[in-house]
C-alpha cells in the first residue's frame, strides 16, 4: 500500500519524457524514459544533420549539371577543314578565342588576345604559326608560346573535346605563374 502511494506520488502527470525522467525515482521506469529520451534526441540530431547538409547536397547535384554547361559548342568538325581556323568566345563572351584545325589534323585552341598589347592573333596557314600583326608577334601553334617579336608570355590554352562530330571548348589553362 505504501509502495503504491510512493510510486503514485512520484509519477508526474506530464507526458513529457524529460519531466518524467527528472522526477522518476524507480530504476525500471527511469531506464525506459532514458532510452526514449535518447532515441528522440538521436532522431532529432539526424534530422538536424540532414537539414544542415541539404544545401551542400543540392549544390553537389547542381554542380553535376554545371559540368555540362562548361562545354561551349564551337563548330562542327566537318565545317572546319584542315588548315583552317574559326573564331569563338570562351569562357565568356568577352574572351575572344581561336580554334585551329592544323594541316596534320590536330585541334589547337587559344584565347587570341596577344599577350603584348592585346591585338587579335591570327592563324597564318602557310607557316603554321599564330601571328599578331600589330608588332609582328609570333606564337607557336603547338603550344601557344611566343617565338618571335615583343610578346613574352604564352596564349591561354583552351582545351577542346569532339563529341558526336562537334568541337566543344571545355576548359582554359593559364600556364605561366
Ligand atoms: S600587340 Fe601583339 S605584338 Fe604587340
Amino acid at each position: 500500500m505504501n509502495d503504491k502511494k510512493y510510486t503514485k506520488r512520484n509519477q508526474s502527470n506530464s507526458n513529457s519524457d524529460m519531466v518524467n525522467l527528472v522526477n522518476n525515482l524507480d530504476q525500471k521506469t527511469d531506464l525506459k524514459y532514458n532510452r526514449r529520451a535518447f532515441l528522440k534526441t538521436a532522431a532529432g540530431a539526424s534530422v538536424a544533420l540532414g537539414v544542415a547538409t541539404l544545401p551542400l547536397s543540392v549544390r553537389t547535384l547542381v554542380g553535376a549539371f554545371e559540368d555540362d554547361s562548361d562545354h561551349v559548342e564551337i563548330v562542327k568538325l566537318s565545317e572546319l577543314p584542315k588548315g583552317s581556323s574559326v573564331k569563338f568566345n570562351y569562357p565568356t563572351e568577352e574572351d575572344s578565342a581561336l580554334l585551329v584545325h592544323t594541316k596534320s589534323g590536330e585541334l589547337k585552341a587559344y584565347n587570341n588576345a596577344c599577350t603584348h598589347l592585346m591585338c587579335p592573333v591570327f592563324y597564318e596557314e602557310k607557316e603554321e604559326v599564330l601571328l599578331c600583326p600589330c608588332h609582328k608577334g609570333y606564337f607557336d601553334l603547338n603550344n601557344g608560346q611566343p617565338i618571335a617579336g615583343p610578346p613574352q608570355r604564352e596564349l591561354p590554352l583552351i582545351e577542346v573535346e569532339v563529341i558526336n562530330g562537334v568541337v566543344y571548348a571545355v576548359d582554359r589553362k593559364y600556364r605561366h605563374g
Side-chain angles (χ1 to χ4, degrees):
M1 179 75 179
N2 244 357
D3 275 357
K4 265 190 177 174
K5 242 182 173 181
Y6 182 79
T7 308
K8 205 168 192 177
R9 187 163 56 87
N10 285 289
Q11 256 178 351
S12 170
N13 288 332
S14 168
N15 285 332
S16 163
D17 290 347
M18 288 313 287
V19 170
N20 281 307
L21 185 62
V22 171
N23 291 335
N24 174 53
L25 297 176
D26 175 39
Q27 198 186 2
K28 245 185 179 175
T29 319
D30 184 38
L31 212 62
K32 182 179 102 187
Y33 284 120
N34 255 324
R35 203 176 300 133
R36 200 187 295 169
F38 170 77
L39 288 174
K40 277 187 177 176
T41 308
S46 302
V47 169
L49 194 65
V51 170
T53 57
L54 192 61
L56 185 67
S57 312
V58 169
R59 221 177 301 140
T60 305
L61 199 63
V62 170
F65 289 115
E66 278 176 356
D67 280 349
D68 284 345
S69 68
D70 286 346
H71 285 57
V72 172
E73 183 176 336
I74 305 173
V75 68
K76 282 184 187 161
L77 191 54
S78 60
E79 295 171 0
L80 187 69
K82 289 177 185 176
S84 68
S85 66
V86 66
K87 282 179 72 175
F88 64 102
N89 298 303
Y90 187 85
T92 73
E93 280 302 309
E94 282 72 47
D95 298 300
S96 178
L98 189 69
L99 169 67
V100 178
H101 195 179
T102 69
K103 289 178 185 173
S104 64
E106 287 183 274
L107 293 170
K108 301 285 181 182
Y110 305 95
N111 280 120
N112 70 331
C114 178
T115 55
H116 179 223
L117 291 175
M118 308 292 282
C119 283
V121 171
F122 297 93
Y123 168 56
E124 205 287 297
E125 185 193 347
K126 196 174 166 200
E127 301 293 326
E128 284 239 291
V129 290
L130 297 169
L131 163 66
C132 175
C134 287
H135 313 101
K136 292 236 186 304
Y138 290 87
F139 297 86
D140 189 324
L141 181 59
N142 292 309
N143 52 30
Q145 294 290 338
I147 48 177
Q152 298 296 306
R153 288 174 295 124
E154 72 276 21
L155 299 169
L157 172 75
I158 295 173
E159 292 183 341
V160 296
E161 261 179 43
V162 181
I163 302 168
N164 296 328
V166 177
V167 187
Y168 293 88
V170 296
D171 201 2
R172 172 165 74 171
K173 289 207 160 39
Y174 287 98
R175 294 153 295 157
H176 54 267

